[in-house]
Amino acid sequence: MAAKIDMFVQQDTSAGTAALYRMVTAEHICPFGLKARDLLSRKGYKVEDHLLTNRQEQEDFKAQHQVDTTPQVFIQGERIGGYEALRSHLGLASADEDGATYQPVIAIFAMAAVMALAASVAVYDQLLTLRAAEWFIAFSMCILAVLKLQDLASFSSGFLGYDLLAQRVVRYAYVYPFAEGLAGVLMIAGALTWLSAPVAFFIGSVGAVSVFKAVYIDRRDIRCACVGGGSNVPLGLLSLTENLMMMAMAIWMSLKPALGLAT
């Protein structure tokens, strides 16, 4: 094993070359090692890719360099560290996946918008239609419902942290995603408005009041369960927007017959 340890320090120290040590076994391929290799390549480095193919090699490497984790990156013989340290060394923002982010909600709304436009073209042969706007909200509701339903227990735990009705009637936290999904599906079909509109308005109004109180009155800094219980989306404006959209959709769908507009 001594020969193997010696190999850990035999690195090309020329400019533009980086040595990467990462774990690749039959049971596990380190994702951060792959990310580090990709980042180095994109930044123009010639990568010496050293694979640690078993636990013993990994432990020997960590002992040799007195580090706790792999991957480890060396540039011109200087140890930079792991993937986050590499990003910092290259002047990039942290890729901390545990930090608060609005990315999931933005992605959902963007995808729902594209789906609505695609449906509008398929049905009406037009990109921008009134129905596309309706579908955008309905598709968003369905996608959000699916994300909540994939881990109902986790969602309910997060939801109970701020929803006023759920705090009084705990089972409401388990009913909410089903109600949101049902209203969304019926609104996509333009069917049973007498059911979908009241359901959407009820859950939307309760949600809007709950979010407004938690964020703007109580000034609480908590996570929103809108995209599932395990999300890092802050409770705030986008969470309030989700509820206001449902309320607006419910009112609009109820008014359409009186305005003489076809579903």
Side-chain angles (χ1 to χ4, degrees), residues 106-124 126-129 131-144 146-147 184-185 188:
I106 294 172
I108 291 166
F109 286 163
M111 180 56 69
V114 172
M115 291 169 61
L117 294 174
S120 180
V121 171
V123 175
Y124 301 107
Q126 296 182 45
L127 186 65
L128 299 176
T129 62
R131 197 73 177 103
E134 297 172 354
W135 280 331
F136 162 63
I137 298 177
F139 286 153
S140 298
M141 292 168 62
C142 290
I143 296 172
L144 289 166
V146 169
L147 293 175
V185 168
I188 291 172

Side-chain angles (χ1 to χ4, degrees), residues 246-262:
M246 285 193 286
M247 293 174 63
M249 182 67 164
I251 294 170
W252 169 248
M253 295 297 285
S254 298
L255 292 176
K256 280 183 68 176
L259 297 174
L261 297 174

Side-chain angles (χ1 to χ4, degrees), residues 222-260:
I222 57 177
R223 296 291 185 261
C224 178
C226 55
V227 294
S231 77
N232 290 317
V233 176
L235 189 69
L237 181 59
L238 285 180
S239 312
L240 182 60
T241 300
E242 173 195 358
N243 291 289
L244 294 176
M245 284 171 53
M246 285 193 286
M247 293 174 63
M249 182 67 164
I251 294 170
W252 169 248
M253 295 297 285
S254 298
L255 292 176
K256 280 183 68 176
L259 297 174

Side-chain angles (χ1 to χ4, degrees), residues 183-204:
V185 168
L186 292 177
M187 287 176 172
I188 291 172
L192 302 181
T193 301
W194 60 268
L195 175 60
S196 64
V199 169
F201 186 82
F202 178 79
I203 64 176

Side-chain angles (χ1 to χ4, degrees), residues 10-155:
Q10 294 176 4
Q11 302 164 8
D12 187 343
T13 59
S14 59
T17 299
L20 170 65
Y21 294 86
R22 61 189 180 94
M23 188 169 187
V24 177
T25 70
E27 297 80 21
H28 177 69
I29 297 177
C30 177
F32 294 101
L34 292 174
K35 289 182 178 182
R37 186 182 66 179
D38 173 71
L39 180 56
L40 287 166
S41 296
R42 287 190 286 111
K43 291 299 182 179
Y45 286 91
K46 175 184 176 183
V47 182
E48 293 180 353
D49 195 10
H50 300 276
L51 306 184
L52 306 174
T53 58
N54 56 61
R55 289 288 179 185
Q56 187 59 54
E57 287 185 3
Q58 186 184 40
E59 293 305 317
D60 289 341
F61 172 82
K62 290 192 292 185
Q64 175 78 12
H65 293 281
Q66 298 182 338
V67 296
D68 296 324
T69 62
T70 59
Q72 291 291 321
V73 176
F74 296 78
I75 296 179
Q76 291 185 264
E78 176 188 357
R79 187 178 72 83
I80 304 302
Y83 177 63
E84 282 296 332
L86 174 62
R87 289 185 63 89
S88 178
H89 177 79
L90 296 175
L92 301 176
S94 172
D96 182 8
E97 297 179 356
D98 294 327
T101 176
Y102 287 107
Q103 181 177 334
V105 178
I106 294 172
I108 291 166
F109 286 163
M111 180 56 69
V114 172
M115 291 169 61
L117 294 174
S120 180
V121 171
V123 175
Y124 301 107
D125 200 25
Q126 296 182 45
L127 186 65
L128 299 176
T129 62
L130 183 59
R131 197 73 177 103
E134 297 172 354
W135 280 331
F136 162 63
I137 298 177
F139 286 153
S140 298
M141 292 168 62
C142 290
I143 296 172
L144 289 166
V146 169
L147 293 175
K148 295 176 177 74
L149 288 168
Q150 68 180 350
D151 189 347
L152 192 53
S154 179
F155 161 74

